[in-house]
């Protein structure tokens, strides 16, 4: 069991390090919410309420 925990811990730390080193720009929470709202609004226009 300890080997599994150590293995997971090493994997997790590597994932975090990779994310920290990623030079690409991120997406803000506001942008994500605006995109989600646009999808919701588009669906509402296509599908009539029952």
């Amino acid at each position: 069991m300890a080997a599994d925990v150590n293995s997971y811990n090493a994997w997790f730390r590597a994932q975090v390090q990779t994310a920290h080193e990623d030079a690409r720009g991120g997406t803000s929470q506001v942008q994500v919410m605006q995109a989600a709202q646009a999808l919701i609004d588009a669906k509402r226009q296509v599908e009539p309420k029952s």
Side-chain angles (χ1 to χ4, degrees):
M1 181 82 168
D4 291 340
V5 171
N6 291 336
S7 178
Y8 174 79
N9 192 27
W11 172 84
F12 182 78
R13 288 176 184 269
Q15 296 299 309
V16 171
Q17 187 64 37
T18 299
H20 279 285
E21 293 170 355
D22 190 346
R24 294 178 295 172
T27 303
S28 74
Q29 189 262 349
V30 170
Q31 290 172 311
V32 171
M33 294 306 291
Q34 287 173 340
Q37 190 61 56
L39 287 171
I40 292 167
D41 294 342
K43 269 294 214 193
R44 284 186 176 149
Q45 290 176 358
V46 172
E47 295 178 6
K49 285 187 173 182
S50 11

